[in-house]
Amino acid sequence: MTTALDTRPLDLLADFPAIPAGWAYLDTAATAQKPKPVIDAITRGYGETYATVHRGVYQRSVDMTFAFEAARERVAKFLGGAAREIIFVRGATEGINLVAQCWAGTHLKAGDRILLSTLEHHSNIVPWQMVAERVGAAIDVVPLTADQRIDLDAMAAMLTPAHKLVALAHVSNVLGSVLDARRAADLAHGVGAKILLDGCQAVPRIAVDMAALDCDFYVFSGHKLYGPTGIGVLWGRYELLDAMPPYQGGGSMIDRVTFARTTYAPPPGRFEAGTPHIVGVVGLHAAIDYVDSIGLDRIHAHEMALVRQTREALSKLNSVTLFGPEDSAGIVSFAVEGVHPHDVATILDEGNVAIRAGHHCAQPLMDALGVPATARASFGVYNGADDIAALVAGIERVTRIFG
Ligand code: PMP
C-alpha cells in the first residue's frame, strides 16, 4: 500500500532538537539524530544518577548497576535473546572484531573458508581478512543479483563443508538491499557453518528476532538506532559465547586472578573488560524504548514509502542513475551523470540538504558497481516528503550547474 506523503506521517521532528527547521537530514545510515528522551537519559545519567557499576556497595552504585543490567534485559527483549547473550561493545565494528578474534581465531584452521558478500561494509571484511591471514583460512565472496541483492542462489552453489563462517549484512548500508536472513542462515547451517549478521542498518529499520533469524551472532551500533555513539551490541548464542576465550583482559572479566593463574567470568562479563560505557548503555535503553514506542513496523512502512517516493521522483530525472533494489530499506544510492558525488553533496548542502557521498566504507562494492563513489540519501523517523522535495530540487540545481 502506498502512503501519500504530503505530510510527515510520523510527525516526530519536534523530538529532535538538533534538526533545525528547513534542514533535510538525509544521512541517518551514517548516524541517526538523537531524540529528546535519549538526550534526557544521558543528561540524567551523568547529572543525577551517575556512579560506577558492578563494583560499589553504596546505594548509588547499586542503582546504576541495576539500570545498566536493566538495559541489557531491554536489549535482549528487543532482539529476542537472553540477557546473558548480550555483550556491550563500542559498536558493530568492535562486535565483529570480537567474533573474528575469539570465535574464528580459535575455531578456524588452515584450509577453512569464510564466506562474505560483495556489498559488505569494511567492518565486515577487514576483521575476517586479519583472522584469515593469521590462521591460513581463505575468503570467498558471494556476488550480487541483477537487482543488487546478495545472491543466495549463488551462495547455495558456493558453500562447501570447508566454509566455517558466513558473515553478511542484514541490510546494505549503500543499497538498502534486505537480506533473506533466514534463508542465508539455513544455507550456512546446511554445511555446518556459523553465520554472523551485521545488523547495523537493519535494527533501526526492521523488527528483528534472533530465534526467527536462527543466526549465531548479530551485531549493531547504538548510534544508528537513535542512541549514543560508543555503544553497540554483540548478541551470540550462549553456548558459542561460553566456549570462546576473552577478547581483552582487565577488570570485570575475571573470576579469580593470581599471578599463577587467572580464571574468567562467564559471558557476558568475560567480554566486557574494564569500566563500561555506563551512560551509553542507559542512553541505548532509552533509544530502544523510543523506537519501540513508535513501532518498527510503522518505521519500516514510513521509510519504505519515503524510498518509493524518492526513487519515483529521481527516476524522472534523466541525469540520475539509481542503485539498489526497488524495495530497499530506507536507503537510496544514486549517481548524477558527469558529476562527482562529492560535488553533488556539496551543492545539496548549499540548499540545506545533508547527504553522504563517497565509497561508504564499501570499496569492493564500488568496484563491482563500476563507480568510485555514490551519493546516498538515507532516511530516519524524522524525514518527510518536504525532505524529498528539497533533495530533488537540489539535484535539479546540480544538473543545471553542470549543464
Ligand atoms: N556495518 C554497516 C552495514 C554499517 O553501515 C556500519 C556503519 N556505517 C558499520 C558496519 C560499522 O558501524 P560502526 O562504525 O558504528 O562500528
Side-chain angles (χ1 to χ4, degrees), residues 115-117 141-143 150-160 163 165-168 179-191 193-195 197:
L115 195 64
L116 308 176
S117 91
V141 182
V142 183
I150 299 173
D151 187 341
L152 293 183
D153 291 335
M155 173 171 155
M158 290 170 79
L159 277 169
T160 68
H163 288 101
L165 186 104
V166 175
L168 300 174
L179 176 73
D180 179 348
R182 179 56 192 251
R183 184 174 171 217
D186 289 346
L187 290 173
H189 293 152
V191 294
K194 302 294 180 224
I195 182 164
L197 294 176

mmCIF file of all heavy atoms in Angstrom, residues 115-117 141-143 150-160 163 165-168 179-191 193-195 197:
data_model
loop_
_atom_site.group_PDB
_atom_site.id
_atom_site.type_symbol
_atom_site.label_atom_id
_atom_site.label_comp_id
_atom_site.label_asym_id
_atom_site.label_seq_id
_atom_site.Cartn_x
_atom_site.Cartn_y
_atom_site.Cartn_z
ATOM 1 N N LEU A 115 32.848 -17.018 4.182
ATOM 2 C CA LEU A 115 32.063 -16.513 3.058
ATOM 3 C C LEU A 115 31.491 -15.132 3.395
ATOM 4 O O LEU A 115 30.790 -14.976 4.409
ATOM 5 C CB LEU A 115 30.927 -17.497 2.754
ATOM 6 C CG LEU A 115 30.224 -17.322 1.421
ATOM 7 C CD1 LEU A 115 31.173 -17.582 0.258
ATOM 8 C CD2 LEU A 115 29.019 -18.258 1.314
ATOM 9 N N LEU A 116 31.822 -14.165 2.564
ATOM 10 C CA LEU A 116 31.305 -12.794 2.719
ATOM 11 C C LEU A 116 30.510 -12.452 1.454
ATOM 12 O O LEU A 116 30.361 -13.301 0.590
ATOM 13 C CB LEU A 116 32.467 -11.811 2.902
ATOM 14 C CG LEU A 116 33.493 -12.160 3.991
ATOM 15 C CD1 LEU A 116 34.635 -11.136 3.991
ATOM 16 C CD2 LEU A 116 32.827 -12.194 5.367
ATOM 17 N N SER A 117 30.049 -11.210 1.341
ATOM 18 C CA SER A 117 29.392 -10.831 0.081
ATOM 19 C C SER A 117 30.022 -9.557 -0.460
ATOM 20 O O SER A 117 30.702 -8.825 0.261
ATOM 21 C CB SER A 117 27.891 -10.618 0.285
ATOM 22 O OG SER A 117 27.626 -9.271 0.607
ATOM 23 N N VAL A 141 33.621 -14.717 -1.868
ATOM 24 C CA VAL A 141 32.712 -13.566 -1.904
ATOM 25 C C VAL A 141 31.485 -13.892 -2.751
ATOM 26 O O VAL A 141 31.602 -14.174 -3.948
ATOM 27 C CB VAL A 141 33.441 -12.330 -2.483
ATOM 28 C CG1 VAL A 141 32.513 -11.127 -2.465
ATOM 29 C CG2 VAL A 141 34.712 -12.049 -1.692
ATOM 30 N N VAL A 142 30.321 -13.830 -2.131
ATOM 31 C CA VAL A 142 29.066 -14.073 -2.851
ATOM 32 C C VAL A 142 28.756 -12.844 -3.703
ATOM 33 O O VAL A 142 28.775 -11.723 -3.195
ATOM 34 C CB VAL A 142 27.898 -14.308 -1.854
ATOM 35 C CG1 VAL A 142 26.608 -14.627 -2.612
ATOM 36 C CG2 VAL A 142 28.224 -15.410 -0.873
ATOM 37 N N PRO A 143 28.445 -13.046 -4.996
ATOM 38 C CA PRO A 143 28.133 -11.894 -5.849
ATOM 39 C C PRO A 143 26.713 -11.372 -5.596
ATOM 40 O O PRO A 143 25.972 -11.934 -4.783
ATOM 41 C CB PRO A 143 28.242 -12.488 -7.263
ATOM 42 C CG PRO A 143 27.900 -13.940 -7.084
ATOM 43 C CD PRO A 143 28.385 -14.329 -5.712
ATOM 44 N N ILE A 150 22.241 -9.639 -2.229
ATOM 45 C CA ILE A 150 23.175 -10.762 -2.085
ATOM 46 C C ILE A 150 22.523 -11.977 -2.745
ATOM 47 O O ILE A 150 21.378 -12.313 -2.435
ATOM 48 C CB ILE A 150 23.484 -11.040 -0.592
ATOM 49 C CG1 ILE A 150 24.148 -9.809 0.041
ATOM 50 C CG2 ILE A 150 24.354 -12.280 -0.449
ATOM 51 C CD1 ILE A 150 24.341 -9.897 1.541
ATOM 52 N N ASP A 151 23.244 -12.611 -3.658
ATOM 53 C CA ASP A 151 22.670 -13.684 -4.466
ATOM 54 C C ASP A 151 22.723 -15.011 -3.685
ATOM 55 O O ASP A 151 23.760 -15.691 -3.651
ATOM 56 C CB ASP A 151 23.453 -13.798 -5.780
ATOM 57 C CG ASP A 151 22.799 -14.778 -6.745
ATOM 58 O OD1 ASP A 151 21.988 -15.620 -6.295
ATOM 59 O OD2 ASP A 151 23.116 -14.702 -7.951
ATOM 60 N N LEU A 152 21.604 -15.350 -3.088
ATOM 61 C CA LEU A 152 21.590 -16.544 -2.234
ATOM 62 C C LEU A 152 21.615 -17.840 -3.038
ATOM 63 O O LEU A 152 22.043 -18.874 -2.521
ATOM 64 C CB LEU A 152 20.393 -16.499 -1.275
ATOM 65 C CG LEU A 152 20.456 -15.389 -0.214
ATOM 66 C CD1 LEU A 152 19.273 -15.475 0.736
ATOM 67 C CD2 LEU A 152 21.764 -15.422 0.576
ATOM 68 N N ASP A 153 21.176 -17.773 -4.291
ATOM 69 C CA ASP A 153 21.314 -18.973 -5.141
ATOM 70 C C ASP A 153 22.800 -19.237 -5.387
ATOM 71 O O ASP A 153 23.268 -20.373 -5.320
ATOM 72 C CB ASP A 153 20.577 -18.800 -6.479
ATOM 73 C CG ASP A 153 19.060 -18.781 -6.286
ATOM 74 O OD1 ASP A 153 18.588 -19.358 -5.278
ATOM 75 O OD2 ASP A 153 18.363 -18.168 -7.107
ATOM 76 N N ALA A 154 23.517 -18.146 -5.680
ATOM 77 C CA ALA A 154 24.966 -18.287 -5.879
ATOM 78 C C ALA A 154 25.623 -18.775 -4.591
ATOM 79 O O ALA A 154 26.512 -19.633 -4.616
ATOM 80 C CB ALA A 154 25.568 -16.951 -6.311
ATOM 81 N N MET A 155 25.142 -18.252 -3.465
ATOM 82 C CA MET A 155 25.710 -18.673 -2.173
ATOM 83 C C MET A 155 25.500 -20.167 -1.959
ATOM 84 O O MET A 155 26.422 -20.878 -1.524
ATOM 85 C CB MET A 155 25.060 -17.877 -1.033
ATOM 86 C CG MET A 155 25.436 -18.337 0.356
ATOM 87 S SD MET A 155 24.840 -17.181 1.605
ATOM 88 C CE MET A 155 24.723 -18.258 3.014
ATOM 89 N N ALA A 156 24.290 -20.638 -2.300
ATOM 90 C CA ALA A 156 23.988 -22.070 -2.131
ATOM 91 C C ALA A 156 24.967 -22.914 -2.949
ATOM 92 O O ALA A 156 25.436 -23.967 -2.496
ATOM 93 C CB ALA A 156 22.556 -22.354 -2.557
ATOM 94 N N ALA A 157 25.295 -22.418 -4.147
ATOM 95 C CA ALA A 157 26.198 -23.175 -5.026
ATOM 96 C C ALA A 157 27.649 -23.088 -4.548
ATOM 97 O O ALA A 157 28.444 -23.992 -4.813
ATOM 98 C CB ALA A 157 26.079 -22.638 -6.456
ATOM 99 N N MET A 158 27.972 -22.024 -3.835
ATOM 100 C CA MET A 158 29.369 -21.823 -3.419
ATOM 101 C C MET A 158 29.729 -22.551 -2.126
ATOM 102 O O MET A 158 30.891 -22.886 -1.898
ATOM 103 C CB MET A 158 29.639 -20.316 -3.192
ATOM 104 C CG MET A 158 29.662 -19.491 -4.461
ATOM 105 S SD MET A 158 29.696 -17.717 -4.069
ATOM 106 C CE MET A 158 31.429 -17.525 -3.667
ATOM 107 N N LEU A 159 28.747 -22.723 -1.255
ATOM 108 C CA LEU A 159 29.047 -23.241 0.090
ATOM 109 C C LEU A 159 29.561 -24.676 0.042
ATOM 110 O O LEU A 159 29.026 -25.511 -0.697
ATOM 111 C CB LEU A 159 27.790 -23.195 0.964
ATOM 112 C CG LEU A 159 27.481 -21.863 1.630
ATOM 113 C CD1 LEU A 159 26.073 -21.895 2.229
ATOM 114 C CD2 LEU A 159 28.510 -21.535 2.717
ATOM 115 N N THR A 160 30.589 -24.933 0.831
ATOM 116 C CA THR A 160 31.141 -26.286 0.962
ATOM 117 C C THR A 160 31.379 -26.555 2.457
ATOM 118 O O THR A 160 31.358 -25.611 3.260
ATOM 119 C CB THR A 160 32.522 -26.394 0.265
ATOM 120 O OG1 THR A 160 33.450 -25.583 1.012
ATOM 121 C CG2 THR A 160 32.467 -25.925 -1.176
ATOM 122 N N HIS A 163 33.579 -24.255 4.485
ATOM 123 C CA HIS A 163 33.121 -22.949 4.997
ATOM 124 C C HIS A 163 32.700 -23.091 6.454
ATOM 125 O O HIS A 163 31.800 -23.859 6.773
ATOM 126 C CB HIS A 163 31.972 -22.408 4.136
ATOM 127 C CG HIS A 163 32.436 -21.956 2.793
ATOM 128 N ND1 HIS A 163 32.276 -22.710 1.649
ATOM 129 C CD2 HIS A 163 33.115 -20.836 2.419
ATOM 130 C CE1 HIS A 163 32.817 -22.070 0.623
ATOM 131 N NE2 HIS A 163 33.340 -20.940 1.056
ATOM 132 N N LEU A 165 32.365 -20.159 8.432
ATOM 133 C CA LEU A 165 31.677 -18.949 8.861
ATOM 134 C C LEU A 165 31.179 -18.168 7.663
ATOM 135 O O LEU A 165 31.894 -18.019 6.660
ATOM 136 C CB LEU A 165 32.621 -18.054 9.680
ATOM 137 C CG LEU A 165 31.826 -16.875 10.234
ATOM 138 C CD1 LEU A 165 31.542 -17.046 11.699
ATOM 139 C CD2 LEU A 165 32.492 -15.565 9.958
ATOM 140 N N VAL A 166 29.946 -17.672 7.790
ATOM 141 C CA VAL A 166 29.352 -16.778 6.789
ATOM 142 C C VAL A 166 29.064 -15.470 7.525
ATOM 143 O O VAL A 166 28.525 -15.490 8.636
ATOM 144 C CB VAL A 166 28.039 -17.385 6.231
ATOM 145 C CG1 VAL A 166 27.356 -16.415 5.288
ATOM 146 C CG2 VAL A 166 28.317 -18.723 5.543
ATOM 147 N N ALA A 167 29.443 -14.340 6.937
ATOM 148 C CA ALA A 167 29.176 -13.044 7.582
ATOM 149 C C ALA A 167 28.591 -12.100 6.545
ATOM 150 O O ALA A 167 29.240 -11.783 5.548
ATOM 151 C CB ALA A 167 30.460 -12.467 8.180
ATOM 152 N N LEU A 168 27.346 -11.678 6.780
ATOM 153 C CA LEU A 168 26.605 -10.901 5.776
ATOM 154 C C LEU A 168 25.879 -9.719 6.419
ATOM 155 O O LEU A 168 25.436 -9.803 7.581
ATOM 156 C CB LEU A 168 25.558 -11.789 5.099
ATOM 157 C CG LEU A 168 26.063 -13.034 4.350
ATOM 158 C CD1 LEU A 168 24.876 -13.868 3.876
ATOM 159 C CD2 LEU A 168 26.972 -12.657 3.184
ATOM 160 N N LEU A 179 18.478 -8.578 3.191
ATOM 161 C CA LEU A 179 18.844 -9.996 3.023
ATOM 162 C C LEU A 179 17.705 -10.894 3.501
ATOM 163 O O LEU A 179 17.070 -10.592 4.525
ATOM 164 C CB LEU A 179 20.103 -10.268 3.870
ATOM 165 C CG LEU A 179 20.612 -11.709 3.936
ATOM 166 C CD1 LEU A 179 21.272 -12.103 2.621
ATOM 167 C CD2 LEU A 179 21.614 -11.866 5.094
ATOM 168 N N ASP A 180 17.468 -11.968 2.795
ATOM 169 C CA ASP A 180 16.600 -13.026 3.324
ATOM 170 C C ASP A 180 17.471 -13.789 4.326
ATOM 171 O O ASP A 180 18.118 -14.786 4.007
ATOM 172 C CB ASP A 180 16.120 -13.931 2.182
ATOM 173 C CG ASP A 180 15.222 -15.063 2.697
ATOM 174 O OD1 ASP A 180 15.161 -15.270 3.924
ATOM 175 O OD2 ASP A 180 14.604 -15.738 1.852
ATOM 176 N N ALA A 181 17.507 -13.248 5.544
ATOM 177 C CA ALA A 181 18.492 -13.700 6.530
ATOM 178 C C ALA A 181 18.229 -15.132 6.970
ATOM 179 O O ALA A 181 19.166 -15.889 7.230
ATOM 180 C CB ALA A 181 18.484 -12.768 7.733
ATOM 181 N N ARG A 182 16.959 -15.497 7.034
ATOM 182 C CA ARG A 182 16.656 -16.856 7.477
ATOM 183 C C ARG A 182 17.153 -17.876 6.443
ATOM 184 O O ARG A 182 17.732 -18.899 6.799
ATOM 185 C CB ARG A 182 15.151 -17.015 7.722
ATOM 186 C CG ARG A 182 14.738 -18.403 8.150
ATOM 187 C CD ARG A 182 15.527 -18.818 9.409
ATOM 188 N NE ARG A 182 15.377 -20.231 9.696
ATOM 189 C CZ ARG A 182 14.671 -20.716 10.722
ATOM 190 N NH1 ARG A 182 14.037 -19.904 11.547
ATOM 191 N NH2 ARG A 182 14.602 -21.994 10.923
ATOM 192 N N ARG A 183 16.957 -17.542 5.164
ATOM 193 C CA ARG A 183 17.440 -18.476 4.134
ATOM 194 C C ARG A 183 18.972 -18.553 4.191
ATOM 195 O O ARG A 183 19.552 -19.636 4.072
ATOM 196 C CB ARG A 183 16.966 -18.021 2.742
ATOM 197 C CG ARG A 183 17.372 -19.028 1.694
ATOM 198 C CD ARG A 183 16.838 -18.778 0.304
ATOM 199 N NE ARG A 183 17.488 -19.690 -0.622
ATOM 200 C CZ ARG A 183 17.860 -19.400 -1.871
ATOM 201 N NH1 ARG A 183 17.603 -18.188 -2.360
ATOM 202 N NH2 ARG A 183 18.457 -20.294 -2.612
ATOM 203 N N ALA A 184 19.612 -17.399 4.382
ATOM 204 C CA ALA A 184 21.078 -17.388 4.465
ATOM 205 C C ALA A 184 21.550 -18.253 5.636
ATOM 206 O O ALA A 184 22.521 -19.018 5.514
ATOM 207 C CB ALA A 184 21.582 -15.960 4.610
ATOM 208 N N ALA A 185 20.844 -18.146 6.777
ATOM 209 C CA ALA A 185 21.219 -18.935 7.957
ATOM 210 C C ALA A 185 21.029 -20.429 7.675
ATOM 211 O O ALA A 185 21.887 -21.254 8.014
ATOM 212 C CB ALA A 185 20.388 -18.508 9.164
ATOM 213 N N ASP A 186 19.909 -20.772 7.041
ATOM 214 C CA ASP A 186 19.647 -22.187 6.731
ATOM 215 C C ASP A 186 20.723 -22.736 5.795
ATOM 216 O O ASP A 186 21.200 -23.862 5.974
ATOM 217 C CB ASP A 186 18.257 -22.349 6.101
ATOM 218 C CG ASP A 186 17.135 -22.122 7.110
ATOM 219 O OD1 ASP A 186 17.431 -22.100 8.331
ATOM 220 O OD2 ASP A 186 15.985 -21.950 6.691
ATOM 221 N N LEU A 187 21.114 -21.925 4.800
ATOM 222 C CA LEU A 187 22.155 -22.371 3.863
ATOM 223 C C LEU A 187 23.484 -22.571 4.595
ATOM 224 O O LEU A 187 24.173 -23.585 4.398
ATOM 225 C CB LEU A 187 22.343 -21.343 2.737
ATOM 226 C CG LEU A 187 21.200 -21.232 1.717
ATOM 227 C CD1 LEU A 187 21.441 -20.061 0.772
ATOM 228 C CD2 LEU A 187 21.058 -22.535 0.929
ATOM 229 N N ALA A 188 23.838 -21.609 5.450
ATOM 230 C CA ALA A 188 25.104 -21.711 6.192
ATOM 231 C C ALA A 188 25.093 -22.961 7.075
ATOM 232 O O ALA A 188 26.037 -23.761 7.068
ATOM 233 C CB ALA A 188 25.321 -20.455 7.035
ATOM 234 N N HIS A 189 23.992 -23.126 7.807
ATOM 235 C CA HIS A 189 23.915 -24.266 8.729
ATOM 236 C C HIS A 189 23.903 -25.597 7.978
ATOM 237 O O HIS A 189 24.346 -26.612 8.505
ATOM 238 C CB HIS A 189 22.679 -24.133 9.627
ATOM 239 C CG HIS A 189 22.787 -22.976 10.581
ATOM 240 N ND1 HIS A 189 21.699 -22.295 11.085
ATOM 241 C CD2 HIS A 189 23.880 -22.362 11.107
ATOM 242 C CE1 HIS A 189 22.104 -21.327 11.889
ATOM 243 N NE2 HIS A 189 23.431 -21.341 11.924
ATOM 244 N N GLY A 190 23.405 -25.549 6.731
ATOM 245 C CA GLY A 190 23.367 -26.766 5.906
ATOM 246 C C GLY A 190 24.743 -27.372 5.674
ATOM 247 O O GLY A 190 24.869 -28.581 5.456
ATOM 248 N N VAL A 191 25.790 -26.535 5.695
ATOM 249 C CA VAL A 191 27.145 -27.091 5.539
ATOM 250 C C VAL A 191 27.910 -27.053 6.873
ATOM 251 O O VAL A 191 29.121 -27.235 6.914
ATOM 252 C CB VAL A 191 27.965 -26.343 4.448
ATOM 253 C CG1 VAL A 191 27.351 -26.553 3.070
ATOM 254 C CG2 VAL A 191 28.125 -24.859 4.773
ATOM 255 N N ALA A 193 28.296 -24.383 8.809
ATOM 256 C CA ALA A 193 28.954 -23.100 9.093
ATOM 257 C C ALA A 193 28.126 -22.293 10.085
ATOM 258 O O ALA A 193 26.910 -22.477 10.191
ATOM 259 C CB ALA A 193 29.133 -22.310 7.799
ATOM 260 N N LYS A 194 28.781 -21.394 10.810
ATOM 261 C CA LYS A 194 28.087 -20.421 11.657
ATOM 262 C C LYS A 194 27.820 -19.183 10.800
ATOM 263 O O LYS A 194 28.530 -18.932 9.825
ATOM 264 C CB LYS A 194 28.944 -20.027 12.865
ATOM 265 C CG LYS A 194 29.356 -21.197 13.735
ATOM 266 C CD LYS A 194 28.167 -21.822 14.418
ATOM 267 C CE LYS A 194 28.601 -22.995 15.296
ATOM 268 N NZ LYS A 194 27.718 -24.143 15.146
ATOM 269 N N ILE A 195 26.817 -18.399 11.212
ATOM 270 C CA ILE A 195 26.527 -17.174 10.460
ATOM 271 C C ILE A 195 26.439 -15.975 11.392
ATOM 272 O O ILE A 195 25.801 -16.034 12.449
ATOM 273 C CB ILE A 195 25.248 -17.315 9.603
ATOM 274 C CG1 ILE A 195 25.000 -16.024 8.794
ATOM 275 C CG2 ILE A 195 24.031 -17.671 10.434
ATOM 276 C CD1 ILE A 195 24.009 -16.179 7.659
ATOM 277 N N LEU A 197 25.371 -11.954 11.354
ATOM 278 C CA LEU A 197 24.675 -10.919 10.592
ATOM 279 C C LEU A 197 25.088 -9.554 11.118
ATOM 280 O O LEU A 197 25.103 -9.315 12.338
ATOM 281 C CB LEU A 197 23.162 -11.084 10.720
ATOM 282 C CG LEU A 197 22.576 -12.354 10.101
ATOM 283 C CD1 LEU A 197 21.077 -12.442 10.394
ATOM 284 C CD2 LEU A 197 22.831 -12.415 8.589
#
